[in-house]
Amino acid sequence: MTAAIAPHTPGPAGGAPLPGGRPSPRAAVEPDDATPVLDVVVPVYNEERDLGPCVQRLHIYLTEAFPYRFRITVADNASTDRTLAVAKALESQYDEVAVVHLDEKGRGRALRTVWTASDAPVLAYMDVDLSTDLNALLPLVAPLISGHSDLAIGSRLSRTSRVVRGAKREIISRCYNVILRGTLRARFSDAQCGFKAIRADVAERLLPLVEDTAWFFDTELLVLAERSGLRIHEVPVDWVDDPDSRVDVVATAVADLRGVARVGKALATGALPVAQLRRELGREDIVGATGADETAGVAPGMTAQILRFAVIGVISTVAFLLLYSLFRSAMPAQVSNLLALVITAVANTAANRRLTFGIRGRRHAGRSQVEGLVVFGLGLVLTSGSLALLDVLSPGASHVTELVVLVIANAVATLLRFVAYRSWVFHPRRQSA
């Protein structure tokens, strides 16, 4: 269960306590002769073929390259094949390998179970396929061992990362990243990479507040950590896609979107105690450049922004439908749609700039309109595509049917427009530049 490897170098000095005698959450790790410094969890479900090579390769790397004691914990997620038997054999073969069996599936559940019970001061996990190059492991955990950072993540979306994977997964990852930045204002770059680490003292405070037990677990943990003012270290990784991945992309995406909505609501309503966590973790003095606390809630005025955006959206939709009906009496459907959208897009961008996001003055107004038209292009694609699809599925559809289709398409476009406005067009950093 525990490692038998002596540290090759002496441990770094511990961090100074905070005022009032509270230990610093960034105090450096103090290794001893019995406790492993690092516990690497490998969650598995029906991986009897890949588990053995994974653990053997990981064990060789840690033995040769990691300067402290370590443990590899195989977390079996209710496998129905020989995975548990393979794991037990590895446990018998290596002193540094431990096995935990769970009767229920869920990567998040497995990580919570092992991390909560572990005695190691630094906790990590990686996928069994070892898609990430192991040379990134030491850079991942080093800032946690030294006390510099609280969490660390591997990023496949960094400019210096070298990634080999299909276009579909690349597009999904980047779209998910845009959604997180637009809705939860996340600043980390890759929530889904199966290569992360966390300090045990931080995990002890955050894990009880993380509800998800599956794939959204990572995102929820990172958002909570970021909102609590914790430092997240990112490591560019070399990553090769596993062609045998059995993840249900559609089901996972739907679950992730539900998780985003749940966490966003919890942050906006104050259900997640981020202010209390900042005080307990010594982050109460973290403020933005303007002096306002930038870690509280989803964003300043988020609820008001949503309400104002919704009202402007309703008004814009009504205006669009009226203009479309007016133009439609003399022009084809696609031309009427284009003219109505251009007019309402300009008015919508101007109204949201001033009323929703509180930006006044002429500075960057022209740029905002140009970018607003780019966002409008998305609405044009959706609405025009909807009309074209309607014409294929139901030639000669009535005007009322056209309006119904356009209302649905506009609703989807409106949601995406808010994300684009908030994360790009009217982002505070871009407006102050």
Side-chain angles (χ1 to χ4, degrees), residues 22-140:
R22 185 168 65 253
S24 169
R26 289 182 184 155
V29 170
E30 291 279 13
D32 57 37
D33 292 336
T35 304
V37 170
L38 174 66
D39 193 345
V40 182
V41 183
V42 182
V44 290
Y45 172 73
N46 288 351
E47 298 287 356
E48 61 179 4
R49 185 185 65 180
D50 294 336
L51 179 57
C54 164
V55 171
Q56 291 165 5
R57 180 179 162 196
L58 179 58
H59 186 273
I60 291 173
Y61 170 82
L62 289 171
T63 301
E64 296 178 350
F66 191 68
Y68 299 112
R69 293 177 177 271
F70 66 87
R71 177 190 300 135
I72 301 171
T73 301
V74 178
D76 176 39
N77 285 302
S79 295
T80 57
D81 62 359
R82 296 186 62 257
T83 296
L84 182 57
V86 173
K88 290 291 186 181
L90 292 167
E91 185 179 35
S92 300
Q93 181 179 357
Y94 300 107
D95 292 335
E96 297 84 13
V97 174
V99 178
V100 174
H101 174 73
L102 292 88
D103 293 328
E104 296 180 87
K105 291 176 59 178
R107 183 178 70 176
R109 178 180 288 107
L111 293 177
R112 186 202 312 276
T113 300
V114 178
W115 283 356
T116 300
S118 179
D119 56 351
V122 177
L123 312 167
Y125 94 88
M126 62 182 59
D127 293 334
V128 69
D129 56 23
L130 293 185
S131 294
T132 303
D133 184 358
L134 288 178
N135 287 322
L137 181 56
L138 189 55
L140 183 82

Side-chain angles (χ1 to χ4, degrees), residues 288-375:
T290 61
D293 186 347
E294 294 182 344
T295 63
V298 175
M302 176 70 165
T303 302
Q305 286 181 357
I306 293 176
L307 291 175
R308 292 176 184 179
F309 181 83
V311 171
I312 293 173
V314 170
I315 295 173
S316 296
T317 300
V318 172
F320 165 78
L321 294 175
L322 291 175
L323 288 172
Y324 176 82
S325 297
L326 176 64
F327 296 143
R328 188 68 177 90
S329 61
M331 303 177 187
Q334 294 289 4
V335 176
S336 300
N337 176 59
L338 175 61
L339 290 176
L341 269 177
V342 169
I343 294 172
T344 53
V346 172
N348 183 281
T349 300
N352 276 300
R353 183 176 187 270
R354 180 178 180 84
L355 301 177
T356 302
F357 299 97
I359 301 172
R360 291 171 172 77
R362 297 182 179 180
R363 188 184 184 193
H364 300 319
R367 184 185 71 182
S368 296
Q369 280 294 347
V370 172
E371 293 171 348
L373 288 175
V374 173
V375 177

Side-chain angles (χ1 to χ4, degrees), residues 78-340:
S79 295
T80 57
D81 62 359
R82 296 186 62 257
T83 296
L84 182 57
V86 173
K88 290 291 186 181
L90 292 167
E91 185 179 35
S92 300
Q93 181 179 357
Y94 300 107
D95 292 335
E96 297 84 13
V97 174
V99 178
V100 174
H101 174 73
L102 292 88
D103 293 328
E104 296 180 87
K105 291 176 59 178
R107 183 178 70 176
R109 178 180 288 107
L111 293 177
R112 186 202 312 276
T113 300
V114 178
W115 283 356
T116 300
S118 179
D119 56 351
V122 177
L123 312 167
Y125 94 88
M126 62 182 59
D127 293 334
V128 69
D129 56 23
L130 293 185
S131 294
T132 303
D133 184 358
L134 288 178
N135 287 322
L137 181 56
L138 189 55
L140 183 82
V141 301
L144 309 188
I145 295 174
S146 69
H148 173 271
S149 301
D150 303 295
L151 296 90
I153 65 174
S155 175
R156 299 163 298 184
L157 303 181
S158 171
R159 291 181 180 178
T160 57
S161 298
R162 292 181 291 185
V163 177
V164 178
R165 62 173 167 175
K168 181 177 74 172
R169 286 183 175 271
E170 180 75 11
I171 292 172
I172 290 173
S173 289
R174 294 193 178 275
C175 287
Y176 185 57
N177 192 45
V178 170
I179 291 172
L180 291 180
R181 289 179 179 274
T183 57
L184 301 179
R185 297 199 71 182
R187 296 170 185 169
F188 47 84
S189 66
D190 192 351
Q192 296 176 315
C193 181
F195 194 69
K196 296 183 177 69
I198 185 172
R199 293 174 57 85
D201 55 342
V202 173
E204 181 181 7
R205 294 295 297 116
L206 299 186
L207 290 180
L209 300 174
V210 178
E211 294 184 17
D212 193 81
T213 59
W215 297 100
F216 187 69
F217 172 91
D218 300 48
T219 302
E220 188 170 356
L221 179 66
L222 289 171
V223 169
L224 182 58
E226 190 172 71
R227 292 299 169 187
S228 300
L230 298 175
R231 175 173 288 168
I232 300 175
H233 174 69
E234 297 199 14
V235 178
V237 297
D238 296 342
W239 196 87
V240 180
D241 191 17
D242 177 17
D244 190 38
S245 176
R246 283 161 281 179
V247 177
D248 188 331
V249 176
V250 175
T252 301
V254 172
D256 284 345
L257 292 177
R258 289 174 179 170
V260 168
R262 174 176 56 79
V263 171
K265 179 180 178 181
L267 289 169
T269 60
L272 283 172
V274 291
Q276 178 185 346
L277 285 171
R278 285 197 307 277
R279 290 192 298 268
E280 293 177 353
L281 296 174
R283 305 300 193 273
E284 62 270 20
D285 58 343
I286 293 183
V287 295
T290 61
D293 186 347
E294 294 182 344
T295 63
V298 175
M302 176 70 165
T303 302
Q305 286 181 357
I306 293 176
L307 291 175
R308 292 176 184 179
F309 181 83
V311 171
I312 293 173
V314 170
I315 295 173
S316 296
T317 300
V318 172
F320 165 78
L321 294 175
L322 291 175
L323 288 172
Y324 176 82
S325 297
L326 176 64
F327 296 143
R328 188 68 177 90
S329 61
M331 303 177 187
Q334 294 289 4
V335 176
S336 300
N337 176 59
L338 175 61
L339 290 176

